[in-house]
């Protein structure tokens, strides 16, 4: 298999080009063609020396992921399902807002953390995605959207690693991915516009602070260890006190002066006023600069959990806000296409079969499939 150039950050591409006897500026040109113009055809890269253009196709390629489906919600949210082989599919979601366009990308096929309320967690862990597989989600989405929306300038202004998988358990791939996102010759995103969301892999939070401190969101979900361990099994290894210490250590390097704490609201489980008061006490005692984002639980088949009532969510937010913690409630977007947090994998068995069926049909017709929001699943 030829090398996929989406696997390289700029330093990697420079090394690759040097092996071919090419200077650094050639790698910069190539990198810009790929990530700023969306080019995959070396022949179209007109400012590269002809000899290099002729040499490249035999050695490498620029290829995205096979698309199994693309659905568009009535609210403009777009969800892609990409095939990553062996019956595994990953999802990528674009969320347009008036002042920005956010892309939510996946870092793993499945996830080993196994959170109680997460459909990806229920699915189990398949494998880490490669750098190319993670970068391809942005590359494909950005250049599709420019065409789709008739825009010549950048459409995706923010990237969040909040799709499938635990990004800090795929650290070796995460770092080059972040460098491609931040590189001025790549997507040129500022560190505050790239967010890594983690269930709390403490040692890797410290590494990230050193290596590439982007904005950080930590999935908290509970105000005490007993409840958090029941919801996020990783809490056994890295309990709340250690996790909050790690958040405090991250802050001096962080591009924002607060950490976002995510809290998935589960009816009767972690959404009671006493939970809000306990959380308030915990965070006040620590004096951790943070903002809390309440995420109403998005149900999926066999979850055995319910979304908190609107009233419970608002009351919870009110207690925290009145106590001095800035708290927001996440809007659910793309509900009609199951594009909300934690719904990404869909039902595991159905999903696997659906992926196989779709892949067969795609191979048979060689047509990219396009599902509209109204298509029944
Ligand atoms: N593994 C990372 C990032 C992916 S999950 C993490 O856990 O942070 C992204 C966010 O979606 C997390 O805050 C997660 O708790 C939340 N989430 C997962 N399943 C959900 C569901 N069913 N409903 C609402 N939020 C969910
Ligand atoms: Fe993994 Fe995050 Fe889902 Fe937990 S919430 S299972 S860490 S993807």
């Amino acid at each position: 298999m030829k090398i996929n150039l989406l696997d390289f950050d700029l330093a990697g591409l420079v090394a690759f080009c040097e092996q071919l006897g090419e200077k650094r500026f050639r790698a910069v040109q190539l990198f810009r063609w790929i990530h700023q113009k969306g080019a995959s055809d070396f022949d179209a890269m007109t400012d590269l020396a002809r000899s290099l253009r002729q040499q490249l196709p035999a050695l490498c390629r620029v290829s995205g992921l096979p698309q199994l489906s693309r659905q568009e919600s009535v609210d403009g949210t777009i969800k892609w399902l990409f095939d990553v082989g062996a019956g595994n599919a990953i999802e990528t979601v674009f969320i347009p807002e008036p002042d920005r366009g956010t892309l939510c990308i996946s870092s793993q096929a499945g996830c080993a953390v196994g959170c109680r309320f997460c459909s990806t967690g229920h699915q189990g862990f398949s494998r880490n995605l490669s750098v190319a597989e993670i970068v391809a989600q942005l590359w494909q989405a950005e250049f599709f959207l420019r065409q789709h929306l008739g825009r010549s300038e950048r459409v995706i202004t923010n990237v969040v690693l909040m799709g499938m998988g635990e990004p800090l358990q795929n650290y070796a791939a995460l770092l080059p991915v972040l460098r491609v996102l931040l590189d001025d010759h790549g997507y040129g995103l500022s560190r505050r516009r790239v967010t890594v969301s983690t269930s709390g892999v403490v040692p890797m939070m410290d590494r990230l602070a050193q290596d590439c401190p982007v904005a950080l969101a930590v999935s908290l979900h509970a105000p005490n260890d007993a409840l958090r361990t029941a919801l996020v099994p990783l809490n056994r290894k890295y309990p709340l006190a250690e996790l909050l210490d790690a958040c405090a250590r991250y802050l001096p390097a962080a591009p924002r002066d607060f950490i976002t704490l995510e809290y998935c609201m589960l009816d009767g489980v972690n959404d009671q006023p006493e939970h809000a008061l306990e959380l308030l006490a915990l965070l006040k005692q620590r004096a951790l600069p943070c903002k809390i984002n309440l995420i109403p639980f998005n149900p999926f088949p066999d979850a055995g959990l319910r979304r908190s009532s609107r009233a419970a969510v608002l009351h919870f937010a009110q207690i925290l806000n009145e106590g001095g913690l800035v708290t927001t409630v996440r809007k659910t977007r793309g509900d009609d296409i199951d594009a909300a947090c934690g719904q990404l994998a869909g039902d595991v068995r159905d999903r696997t079969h659906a992926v196989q069926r779709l892949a067969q049909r795609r191979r048979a017709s060689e047509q990219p499939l396009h599902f509209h929001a109204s298509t029944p699943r």
Side-chain angles (χ1 to χ4, degrees):
M1 193 60 132
K2 287 182 218 166
I3 293 166
N4 188 353
L5 297 187
L6 295 182
D7 248 323
F8 290 135
D9 59 11
L10 184 56
L13 194 59
V14 167
F16 174 78
C17 286
E18 279 170 353
Q19 282 177 358
L20 303 179
E22 297 289 338
K23 296 216 166 64
R24 184 178 192 279
F25 83 97
R26 287 292 179 211
V28 171
Q29 283 178 317
L30 194 50
F31 199 72
R32 292 175 68 100
W33 273 109
I34 297 169
H35 297 292
Q36 300 197 338
K37 298 209 176 77
S40 56
D41 176 4
F42 298 117
D43 258 346
M45 303 181 184
T46 43
D47 56 0
L48 293 185
R50 186 180 296 268
S51 61
L52 179 61
R53 267 188 277 157
Q54 285 169 347
Q55 199 183 357
L56 287 173
L59 302 169
C60 56
R61 65 200 163 99
V62 183
S63 35
L65 297 166
Q67 179 181 305
L68 292 167
S69 67
R70 184 180 64 241
Q71 295 171 275
E72 192 161 346
S73 160
V74 289
D75 68 13
T77 300
I78 298 179
K79 178 174 87 167
W80 290 261
L81 186 65
F82 293 117
D83 184 358
V84 290
N88 289 310
I90 54 152
E91 299 200 0
T92 305
V93 180
F94 173 67
I95 305 143
E97 285 174 279
D99 57 340
R100 63 185 151 179
T102 302
L103 193 72
C104 175
I105 61 178
S106 296
S107 56
Q108 298 181 313
C111 181
V113 178
C115 298
R116 177 70 189 79
F117 50 83
C118 172
S119 133
T120 309
H122 279 227
Q123 174 188 344
F125 178 67
S126 294
R127 67 174 177 84
N128 278 328
L129 298 181
S130 66
V131 175
E133 287 169 328
I134 304 174
V135 169
Q137 298 170 58
L138 173 59
W139 185 71
Q140 269 163 280
E142 172 66 30
F143 296 103
F144 164 79
L145 288 166
R146 282 193 203 179
Q147 229 180 11
H148 187 62
L149 306 173
R151 301 247 295 264
S152 55
E153 77 285 18
R154 183 199 291 177
V155 178
I156 295 164
T157 59
N158 295 61
V159 173
V160 295
L161 280 121
M162 290 188 188
M164 297 166 72
E166 170 48 59
L168 294 186
Q169 288 188 339
N170 185 11
Y171 196 75
L174 179 66
L175 264 195
V177 168
L178 294 177
R179 287 191 211 111
V180 174
L181 267 48
L182 302 183
D183 201 306
D184 282 339
H185 297 299
Y187 297 86
L189 298 172
S190 72
R191 290 191 292 133
R192 53 194 299 129
R193 288 177 177 273
V194 176
T195 302
V196 168
S197 175
T198 181
S199 55
V201 190
V202 165
M204 292 299 143
M205 290 165 65
D206 289 328
R207 289 276 299 275
L208 189 66
Q210 279 193 343
D211 295 339
C212 193
V214 293
L216 187 68
V218 171
S219 295
L220 207 65
H221 309 309
N224 61 61
D225 280 318
L227 186 51
R228 189 163 192 272
T229 299
L231 296 174
V232 184
L234 191 65
N235 191 68
R236 220 171 270 124
K237 200 162 179 193
Y238 306 115
L240 273 172
E242 284 184 34
L243 179 56
L244 294 173
D245 281 349
C247 290
R249 289 196 299 275
Y250 193 85
L251 270 171
R256 296 178 188 268
D257 53 10
F258 61 89
I259 304 273
T260 303
L261 300 177
E262 295 164 285
Y263 195 104
C264 178
M265 297 291 285
L266 301 161
D267 181 35
V269 175
N270 63 355
D271 67 343
Q272 298 299 300
E274 60 262 31
H275 296 123
L277 290 168
E278 197 180 355
L279 185 62
L280 188 61
L282 176 73
L283 295 173
K284 285 267 148 177
Q285 175 211 338
R286 296 236 155 209
L288 178 74
C290 60
K291 287 191 183 170
I292 300 177
N293 196 214
L294 302 178
I295 315 171
F297 170 62
N298 294 304
F300 54 91
D302 301 328
L305 295 162
R306 290 178 312 266
R307 175 185 289 193
S308 302
S309 70
R310 184 84 191 143
V313 175
L314 293 178
H315 190 203
F316 199 95
Q318 189 188 0
I319 294 174
L320 296 177
N321 274 318
E322 282 174 1
L325 291 177
V326 176
T327 305
T328 52
V329 179
R330 186 173 301 171
K331 280 184 290 192
T332 39
R333 296 286 304 261
D335 255 355
D336 53 335
I337 55 168
D338 280 358
C341 310
Q343 288 181 316
L344 298 183
D347 177 85
V348 180
R349 285 148 302 164
D350 282 4
R351 189 191 61 81
T352 309
H353 291 144
V355 169
Q356 285 162 356
R357 259 196 330 269
L358 285 164
Q360 272 165 7
R361 272 167 40 193
R362 206 173 56 83
R363 276 195 296 274
S365 64
E366 290 303 324
Q367 290 290 319
L369 290 170
H370 181 178
F371 288 139
H372 292 285
S374 56
T375 308
R377 305 204 337 145

